[in-house]
């Protein structure tokens, strides 16, 4: 387990077809949208949830890959293996730690224990109340909101269900029906929202210095990228439609502090529309372009030329 | 200031949460001095130095937007962690989000850009080989190359900050043409005192520039 020694910045590009990537609780579960630009949004916490779920599926029950912030629906009732208790002699030290008025040592021990056992604490951090003060673990991985490359156009689709929820509802329908009892059906109307197509970009940052503190290792980094690449494959549902991870472009710095500003690196990634094989920048398009409906309507260019010294591009997808 | 730093920071969103509106977070109109200090510290910091924020320039009009998210209203209880450590099993040590769910709205800033003007002072933990000049050089070198300890953020970690150094001698970008009182604003948190009280100041934006009172000055209110 080598702890990470390099700074990484990454751009994660994914798309959705006929689905709702992230509903907005304020807008009756409409796809999130930036009201000023009409571009779609997917929150950082939504992506983190999927990463956690994937790790839970891929490494369920393994030492050191437990997930602290769980969804109850995950098959977690498997008997967890008892794990190697960390340095058995420490339990006594813990009891003695009460003599220590500051309790800092003990708080550190608790934090280390959490980081050692839980992948999500090691990766994203967690807030722990230690009674004295709120010990915080800042995780090395920082994700931002994903934003769509172009404005999205959410559609509201009305659907019907051929069943009533309960007896009372059925009766009420029968009485309210004008054509008499022989024309009774138990239909309920519902609605779902979809984005016909949207291509989203999220940026992520990984701090080597915070990785030192939580023990986030090279293997963890691999798992994180694996999760990003595969998490939508295990997040299928009626609401999501077809979501897919399209590109994962990683900038690896050869030092812990980094060798170039992150925003300058992200600016090297250009997303444009595919017009008969030609790259066309997304700008204030005159409405001559038909709306994008597939990944093939886009071209993603990564400027590989004259990279800053000490930065390399790794394309994980 | 003969040796100040000027850092320009910007981002798509920001949330500098008001001290009195924490549950459904509402951002202050501009970056707080405490958040500015955090950004500088994410680039370079040692216990030997303290950043003093002198002014914050607001380069873009102040706009808000509301975002509602599912959050968890819960922290990891130390007691439970300890029990698990002693028992040697992780049974019951997790957090079920669908039982702890709270939907909270945040009112966040949109499309922000600032220039932070600051300088350093040495603390009593400075050793013989710490000098203001050395740390200033280190800071400037890192900021100019885009190096950082961790990616700085605009209030909360999901809003990453783009940052670039404004070299000495380069004119400052123009601040917005707006003058108004921003009311009582968080100055910083006194981490040395018991219970870590918050300190406030009466913020006033003059032509887009907010001057920040120096530590210990009477304008800083407890």
């Amino acid at each position: 387990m080598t702890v990470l020694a390099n700074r990484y910045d990454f751009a994660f590009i994914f798309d959705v077809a006929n689905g709702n990537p992230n509903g907005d609780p304020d807008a009756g579960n409409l796809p999130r949208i930036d009201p000023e630009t009409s571009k779609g949004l997917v929150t950082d916490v939504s992506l983190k949830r999927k990463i956690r779920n994937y790790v839970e599926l891929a490494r369920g029950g393994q030492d050191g890959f437990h997930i602290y912030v769980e969804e109850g629906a995950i098959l977690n009732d498997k008997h967890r293996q008892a794990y190697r208790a960390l340095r058995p002699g420490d339990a006594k030290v813990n009891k003695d730690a009460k003599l220590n008025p500051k309790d800092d040592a003990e708080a550190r021990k608790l934090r280390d224990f959490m980081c050692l056992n839980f992948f999500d604490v090691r990766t994203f951090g967690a807030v722990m109340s230690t009674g004295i003060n709120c010990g915080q673990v800042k995780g090395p991985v920082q994700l931002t909101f994903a934003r769509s490359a172009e404005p999205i156009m959410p559609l509201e689709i009305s659907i019907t269900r051929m069943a009533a929820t309960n007896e009372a509802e059925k009766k009420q329908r029968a009485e309210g029906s004008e054509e008499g009892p022989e024309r009774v059906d138990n239909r309920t109307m519902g609605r779902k929202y979809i984005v016909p197509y949207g291509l989203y970009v999220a940026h992520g940052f990984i701090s080597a210095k915070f990785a030192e503190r939580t023990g986030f290792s090279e293997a963890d980094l691999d798992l994180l990228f694996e999760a990003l690449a595969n998490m939508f494959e295990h997040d299928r549902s009626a609401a999501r439609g077809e979501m897919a991870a399209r590109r994962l472009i990683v900038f690896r710095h050869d030092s812990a502090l980094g060798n170039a500003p992150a925003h300058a690196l992200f600016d090297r990634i250009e997303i444009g529309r595919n017009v008969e094989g030609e790259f066309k920048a997304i700008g204030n398009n005159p409405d001559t372009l038909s709306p994008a409906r597939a990944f093939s309507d886009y071209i993603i260019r990564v400027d590989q030329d004259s990279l800053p010294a000490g930065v390399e591009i790794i394309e994980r997808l | 200031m003969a040796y100040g730093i000027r850092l320009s920071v910007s981002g798509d969103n920001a949330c500098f949460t008001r001290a009195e509106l924490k549950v459904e977070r509402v951002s202050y109109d501009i970056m707080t001095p405490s958040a500015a200090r955090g950004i500088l510290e994410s680039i370079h910091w040692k216990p030997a130095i303290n950043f003093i924020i002198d002014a914050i320039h607001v380069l873009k009009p102040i706009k808000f937007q509301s975002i509602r998210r599912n959050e968890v209203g819960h922290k990891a209880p130390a007691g439970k962690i300890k029990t698990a450590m002693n028992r040697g099993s992780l049974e019951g040590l997790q957090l079920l989000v669908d039982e702890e769910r709270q939907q909270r709205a945040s009112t966040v800033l949109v499309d922000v850009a600032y220039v932070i003007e600051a300088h350093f002072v040495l603390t009593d933990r400075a050793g013989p080989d710490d000098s203001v000049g050395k740390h200033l050089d280190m800071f400037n070198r890192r900021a100019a190359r885009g190096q950082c300890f961790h990616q700085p953020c605009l209030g909360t970690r999901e809003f990453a900050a783009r940052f670039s150094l404004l070299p000495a001698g380069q004119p400052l970008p123009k601040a917005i043409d707006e003058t108004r009182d921003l009311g009582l604003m968080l100055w910083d948190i006194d981490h040395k005192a018991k219970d870590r009280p918050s300190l406030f100041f009466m913020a006033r934006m003059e032509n887009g520039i907010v001057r920040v009172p120096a530590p210990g000055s009477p304008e800083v209110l407890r």
Side-chain angles (χ1 to χ4, degrees):
Chain A
M1 289 273 275
T2 46
V3 167
L4 214 62
N6 307 78
R7 186 180 119 191
Y8 289 85
D9 302 309
F10 62 88
F12 176 54
I13 302 176
F14 60 95
D15 67 354
V16 59
N18 301 326
N20 181 354
N22 185 205
D24 185 349
D26 262 346
N29 212 31
L30 263 165
R32 289 183 191 275
I33 211 165
D34 176 339
E36 284 181 327
T37 61
S38 291
K39 287 183 174 178
L41 291 174
V42 173
T43 57
D44 59 313
V45 284
S46 158
L47 297 170
K48 284 180 183 177
R49 172 81 269 148
K50 292 180 188 11
I51 293 171
R52 286 183 163 111
N53 289 354
Y54 178 83
V55 171
E56 180 84 26
L57 287 171
R59 297 278 193 284
Q62 282 183 29
D63 279 358
F65 292 101
H66 299 292
I67 294 292
Y68 184 72
V69 183
E70 284 185 349
E71 271 187 64
I74 291 178
L75 297 172
N76 191 26
D77 304 335
K78 284 180 300 193
H79 179 63
R80 289 190 188 280
Q81 316 147 291
Y83 63 101
R84 284 174 297 102
L86 100 162
R87 297 192 297 279
D90 271 6
K92 290 187 190 62
V93 183
N94 272 338
K95 291 202 179 74
D96 298 345
K98 290 204 175 73
L99 305 173
N100 180 353
K102 284 181 75 174
D103 233 18
D104 269 2
E106 198 183 10
R108 199 166 305 128
K109 237 183 220 105
L110 295 177
R111 281 205 289 270
D112 291 348
F113 173 84
M114 291 299 280
C115 288
L116 186 75
N117 282 293
F118 292 98
F119 175 83
D120 57 340
V121 174
R122 199 162 61 230
T123 306
F124 302 128
V127 178
M128 322 218 187
S129 56
T130 56
I132 304 284
N133 67 352
C134 296
Q136 281 199 7
V137 182
K138 271 195 194 161
V141 178
Q142 186 178 342
L143 274 173
T144 63
F145 280 21
R147 217 168 263 273
S148 63
E150 287 188 285
I152 56 167
M153 176 72 218
L155 303 179
E156 185 178 330
I157 311 284
S158 287
I159 50 177
T160 59
R161 184 181 62 170
M162 306 304 284
T165 311
N166 52 32
E167 195 63 39
E169 195 179 337
K170 183 173 173 178
K171 215 163 123 193
Q172 191 191 1
R173 297 252 171 82
E175 285 161 6
S177 153
E178 302 212 340
E179 290 96 25
E182 62 278 358
R183 276 274 307 154
V184 172
D185 51 11
N186 296 322
R187 284 199 303 185
T188 326
M189 300 293 282
R191 63 168 57 100
K192 64 194 296 188
Y193 296 105
I194 62 166
V195 177
Y197 187 82
L199 185 70
Y200 290 78
V201 186
H203 290 163
F205 309 90
I206 304 176
S207 154
K209 289 293 184 184
F210 281 174
E212 272 172 36
R213 294 184 193 177
T214 68
F216 183 84
S217 67
E218 295 279 357
D220 291 331
L221 180 78
D222 250 6
L223 179 57
L224 176 77
F225 289 154
E226 182 192 321
L228 285 168
N230 297 314
M231 63 194 189
F232 295 125
E233 309 295 340
H234 302 279
D235 188 58
R236 306 278 181 217
S237 75
R240 293 274 176 258
E242 290 175 50
M243 295 184 74
R246 293 294 184 174
R247 297 290 289 276
L248 177 51
I249 298 157
V250 181
F251 298 97
R252 182 180 186 274
H253 301 252
D254 67 8
S255 65
L257 291 171
N259 301 57
H263 61 91
L265 296 176
F266 291 139
D267 288 345
R268 295 175 160 266
I269 301 170
E270 279 185 296
I271 299 182
R273 288 294 297 275
N274 180 350
V275 182
E276 291 163 6
E278 294 280 309
F279 180 96
K280 191 165 185 306
I282 295 171
N284 305 328
N285 280 337
D287 295 331
T288 49
L289 284 180
S290 57
R293 286 291 178 264
F295 185 58
S296 55
D297 291 341
Y298 287 100
I299 294 180
I300 298 172
R301 288 200 303 209
V302 184
D303 179 7
Q304 308 260 13
D305 298 338
S306 57
L307 272 174
V311 178
E312 61 166 321
I313 296 181
I314 304 167
E315 305 223 8
R316 290 287 303 232
L317 259 183
Chain B
M1 285 300 143
Y3 35 74
I5 359 181
R6 295 183 311 178
L7 189 78
S8 115
V9 293
S10 61
D12 293 338
N13 296 92
C15 183
F16 308 107
T17 309
R18 284 177 183 271
E20 67 278 20
L21 298 167
K22 280 186 184 168
V23 175
E24 298 246 309
R25 284 179 286 274
V26 177
S27 176
Y28 282 112
D29 294 359
I30 66 153
M31 176 188 278
T32 60
S34 139
R37 177 180 60 85
I39 288 181
L40 300 181
E41 286 175 359
S42 76
I43 296 169
H44 172 68
W45 181 77
K46 286 275 188 316
I49 56 172
N50 247 345
F51 286 102
I52 311 285
I53 309 294
D54 301 316
I56 292 169
H57 301 238
V58 185
L59 310 183
K60 285 193 173 165
I62 297 165
K63 288 186 302 194
F64 289 96
Q65 211 175 76
S66 166
I67 293 176
R68 187 178 291 272
R69 284 173 285 185
N70 291 331
E71 298 180 15
V72 167
H74 194 91
K75 286 183 216 161
K80 271 197 160 165
I81 302 174
K82 216 145 109 190
T83 320
M85 272 171 87
N86 295 339
R87 221 183 28 213
S89 107
L90 293 175
E91 206 58 52
L93 183 61
Q94 69 273 88
L95 205 156
L96 295 173
V97 283
D98 32 17
E99 290 169 18
E100 295 280 349
R101 179 159 294 165
Q102 301 182 346
Q103 287 196 337
R104 296 180 178 180
S106 316
T107 304
V108 302
L109 291 163
V110 183
D111 191 20
V112 296
Y114 304 99
V115 170
I116 303 169
E117 270 194 278
H119 67 278
F120 286 85
V121 290
L122 291 179
T123 62
D124 46 16
R125 296 179 62 180
D129 54 354
D130 283 306
S131 71
V132 170
K134 173 184 127 175
H135 285 292
L136 182 71
D137 284 348
M138 278 178 83
F139 183 94
N140 286 342
R141 234 186 355 253
R142 283 190 188 182
R145 289 187 197 156
Q147 296 187 314
C148 55
F149 191 85
H150 63 94
Q151 189 68 28
C153 63
L154 295 162
T156 54
R157 285 190 83 196
E158 60 268 36
F159 304 135
R162 293 186 286 269
F163 65 95
S164 53
L165 186 73
L166 291 170
Q170 196 179 318
L172 287 173
K174 202 165 157 26
I176 53 172
D177 185 21
E178 200 176 330
T179 298
R180 60 163 140 150
D181 270 328
L182 299 171
L184 200 61
M185 209 166 122
L186 179 77
W187 181 77
D188 209 329
I189 293 165
D190 188 353
H191 289 282
K192 288 203 175 69
K194 193 177 165 299
D195 299 335
R196 309 186 176 199
S198 303
L199 309 176
F200 293 88
F201 74 112
M202 292 303 277
R204 182 167 170 75
M205 183 159 69
E206 295 272 0
N207 301 324
I209 300 173
V210 178
R211 296 272 159 218
V212 179
S217 64
E219 285 94 47
V220 177
L221 314 166
R222 277 197 180 265

